[in-house]
Amino acid sequence: MKILENVIANRSLSFTEASSGKSVPIGTLYRSLGLNPVEKGLIFLYNDNQLSSIEVLLNFYGTAHAIAVLGQKLHTDFKDRLETEYRPKYIFDPSREEVEGYVLKEFSETVKIFVKEDYKPEVAIHPDIKILLSTSGTTGVPKLVKLSDENLYQNALSILQYMPILETDVVPLNVPINFVYGFSIFTTNCMRAAKIVCTDKDIMQKAFWDEMEEYGYSTLGGVPYLYENLNRIGFFRKDSSSLRYMTHTGGVINGELRKTIFNYCQEFGKEFYAQYGQTEAGGRMAYLTTEGLLEEETSIGTPVQGGSFQIDEETDELLFLHPSICGGYANKLEDLSSYERPSVLRTGDTAKRGKNGLYYITGRIKRIMKLFGIRLNLDEVEFILKNELEGNTFVCLNSNDKKIIVLYDNNEIDPQIITDTIKNKLRINPQYVRTEHIESFPLSQNGKINYPLLQNLQHENI
């Protein structure tokens, strides 16, 4: 258990519950539940980033159990489907008072876990499987990514090579740990920082900023949509004295916003790390330092240490090589009996390598449309609009290869400017562009814009 061994070795580390101020040192927290270290099975941990969730995670990480880290706010029906399919021995879910077929057992003063009655192992879970994470599904097929302790440790080592974590840092868990980015923030900071603050406050809530002032957060993490909103509310116009650096992943930040963030970092002495990663690689796969924000094009930077990129000559798909690549997927309990790690991860993103050695994402293979035979990358259209129209948020969708649908949430934007920009930059006749104002973009649980939902809603309107 390399991750846990390195976390325990950080003897100054403590965990604080933001709402109460309660603080517990790592030496006490990781073995508070008195678990049998050799007992094998599966636990579903429905996480809410609170101290008790972290306590359960650390305690079970030190055993032979596999841990499925899931979101506590998942729909009840989806939870039922997952539990019916995987039949876990333990379920930690403070949001429920009962689970059919399970009894609620008190493991400590603050931790109660559902235990399956008359549990009998049905499958020998492969010993390399330590953590199971969902890629993005909340209502569909319960597909989980199989990650080993070695996958997570190797990814953490690579991140620690460039991330400026100090032994005095205070780190908020503002990104849920049931997402690989949040899990990666958690593990790397547990290995080196001083204090982890457990919070379920959203970064756009006033309560989060009150906590930031109280605890003196050193770092913030988020997806591009979050930084677009911070820019809109004027965050980058003033200093946050305790903040040393920020990170992001989950998409590309547009050019206008990159300039704003760069200027903010220069004026107030901060650092920013633009990153690129996928759940299947245990977290972060590439990074770009603050200076890279001034690149004319939007880059994901260079691979993390120990990793490398290749580009498929026929499809332009970006391929990643690193020991952090996962051991495959699980769609049902029986899939947990195997762990087969490929040497190369096919990312599903198209990319190019610049003469400067930096890599650039050009789109998603599945986000390509053909408008009357012309191949069009919807991600590129979004980048163009964001860069031309002051960094506002746009979402481009495919209307049966007949029209581009452009959604925008700023009602001060003249839709004619959108169609004119597409016409001038891409030579596309405005009759093939449909613009639509939307009050707010629906978000998935990891804070990203929910493209599948928007696309489905548009199909209903066509």
Side-chain angles (χ1 to χ4, degrees):
M1 300 299 173
K2 293 179 180 177
I3 286 284
L4 187 61
E5 290 169 3
N6 280 271
V7 171
I8 296 170
N10 183 5
R11 295 177 182 275
S12 61
L13 178 66
S14 66
F15 299 82
T16 297
E17 190 173 61
S19 57
S20 67
K22 177 186 176 182
S23 192
V24 184
I26 178 62
T28 301
L29 196 68
Y30 84 96
R31 53 185 176 187
S32 61
L33 303 184
L35 302 177
N36 179 352
V38 299
E39 183 185 2
K40 297 179 181 178
L42 174 64
I43 176 172
F44 272 16
L45 192 170
Y46 290 106
N47 165 65
D48 60 357
N49 273 12
Q50 294 297 296
L51 185 58
S52 56
S53 290
I54 302 304
E55 184 176 5
V56 171
L57 172 65
L58 291 172
N59 273 268
F60 274 87
Y61 205 103
T63 69
H65 289 285
I67 311 165
V69 187
L70 304 157
Q72 199 173 110
K73 296 180 181 177
L74 284 173
H75 193 280
T76 304
D77 291 345
F78 190 61
K79 289 181 178 179
D80 290 342
R81 289 185 59 191
L82 278 167
E83 291 156 14
T84 300
E85 194 63 67
Y86 288 94
R87 303 180 289 283
K89 181 173 184 178
Y90 297 106
I91 295 175
F92 175 75
D93 187 356
S95 70
R96 288 187 285 179
E97 296 181 353
E98 60 181 23
V99 177
E100 186 176 352
Y102 290 78
V103 294
L104 189 59
K105 181 181 177 182
E106 190 172 285
F107 279 70
S108 74
E109 292 183 0
T110 55
V111 173
K112 295 179 181 178
I113 301 175
F114 293 101
V115 182
K116 191 169 184 58
E117 297 177 298
D118 302 324
Y119 176 79
K120 294 179 181 178
E122 299 176 62
V123 169
I125 298 175
H126 196 284
D128 284 346
I129 300 175
K130 187 71 251 177
I131 294 292
L132 295 158
L133 295 175
S134 175
T135 49
S136 58
T138 56
T139 57
V141 177
K143 183 178 178 181
L144 301 175
V145 176
K146 298 185 283 190
L147 291 159
S148 70
D149 179 60
E150 184 69 18
N151 292 150
L152 299 163
Y153 178 65
Q154 291 295 333
N155 190 253
L157 285 185
S158 296
I159 294 165
L160 290 172
Q161 295 299 316
Y162 66 86
M163 195 62 69
I165 302 172
L166 297 178
E167 58 185 13
T168 55
D169 274 341
V170 179
V171 181
L173 292 184
N174 66 290
V175 181
I177 63 167
N178 42 292
F179 303 122
V180 73
Y181 176 35
F183 199 88
S184 175
I185 290 172
F186 175 74
T187 55
T188 49
N189 282 285
C190 282
M191 291 165 69
R192 192 170 287 177
K195 183 189 293 292
I196 305 294
V197 180
C198 303
T199 178
D200 61 353
K201 300 296 186 299
D202 185 275
I203 207 168
M204 296 305 293
Q205 293 177 279
K206 181 181 181 301
F208 177 86
W209 300 103
D210 291 340
E211 291 176 358
M212 181 166 181
E213 186 171 345
E214 180 178 359
Y215 295 108
Y217 295 155
S218 309
T219 179
L220 293 177
V223 297
Y225 186 61
L226 172 76
Y227 288 105
E228 290 167 6
N229 276 297
L230 288 181
N231 187 34
R232 186 178 296 180
I233 64 174
F235 172 81
F236 297 112
R237 290 198 292 267
K238 62 180 182 179
D239 189 18
S240 295
S241 58
S242 64
L243 187 65
R244 293 198 303 109
Y245 71 99
M246 296 171 286
T247 67
H248 110 284
T249 188
V252 178
I253 292 179
N254 69 77
E256 285 298 312
L257 183 52
R258 281 186 286 127
K259 291 176 187 175
T260 299
I261 295 174
F262 178 83
N263 291 332
Y264 169 79
C265 291
Q266 290 297 301
E267 182 175 359
F268 297 113
K270 316 293 184 187
E271 292 181 81
F272 189 88
Y273 293 87
Q275 299 166 116
Y276 168 79
Q278 292 187 353
T279 307
E280 290 84 346
R284 293 166 266 188
M285 296 150 58
Y287 71 102
L288 187 75
T289 59
T290 312
E291 288 68 26
L293 296 174
L294 290 181
E295 287 285 318
E296 287 189 10
E297 294 183 78
T298 304
S299 171
I300 60 170
T302 55
V304 297
Q305 190 177 69
S308 62
F309 284 139
Q310 296 174 359
I311 296 179
D312 187 304
E313 292 183 357
E314 292 187 359
T315 63
D316 290 339
E317 184 177 8
L318 184 69
L319 312 178
F320 181 59
L321 297 85
H322 192 279
S324 65
I325 296 173
C326 72
Y329 299 98
N331 294 297
K332 58 184 181 301
L333 177 61
E334 289 72 15
D335 294 337
L336 299 183
S337 64
S338 64
Y339 174 89
E340 297 174 1
R341 197 184 78 80
S343 58
V344 174
L345 174 67
R346 303 193 73 89
T347 65
D349 290 325
T350 56
K352 63 180 182 180
R353 186 176 185 271
K355 293 180 179 177
N356 53 8
L358 299 179
Y359 286 83
Y360 300 82
I361 298 296
T362 55
R364 290 286 294 172
I365 288 180
K366 292 182 180 178
R367 291 266 291 155
I368 301 294
M369 69 178 288
K370 282 195 173 181
L371 191 62
F372 299 101
I374 300 172
R375 190 171 181 266
L376 196 63
N377 187 323
L378 292 175
D379 289 322
E380 288 184 337
V381 181
E382 286 182 10
F383 297 157
I384 289 170
L385 290 172
K386 289 180 179 181
N387 286 334
E388 293 294 319
L389 301 178
E390 300 178 344
N392 279 284
T393 302
F394 298 94
V395 167
C396 293
L397 303 173
N398 179 3
S399 177
N400 296 327
D401 284 343
K402 294 179 179 177
K403 281 190 176 184
I404 304 171
I405 302 170
V406 182
L407 306 179
Y408 60 101
D409 63 350
N410 186 346
N411 59 15
E412 295 182 359
I413 294 177
D414 181 352
Q416 186 62 44
I417 295 178
I418 297 173
T419 52
D420 286 348
T421 302
I422 293 177
K423 175 187 175 183
N424 295 332
K425 292 289 181 179
L426 298 169
R427 306 297 181 194
I428 293 174
N429 191 314
Q431 68 175 309
Y432 304 126
V433 180
R434 191 179 98 204
T435 59
E436 187 175 323
H437 176 258
I438 186 170
E439 285 299 320
S440 62
F441 289 108
L443 303 180
S444 60
Q445 291 210 4
N446 59 5
K448 297 180 186 177
I449 292 175
N450 194 332
Y451 279 84
L453 176 59
L454 286 170
Q455 187 70 64
N456 289 338
L457 291 174
Q458 288 303 318
H459 278 310
E460 292 174 3
N461 293 332
I462 291 170

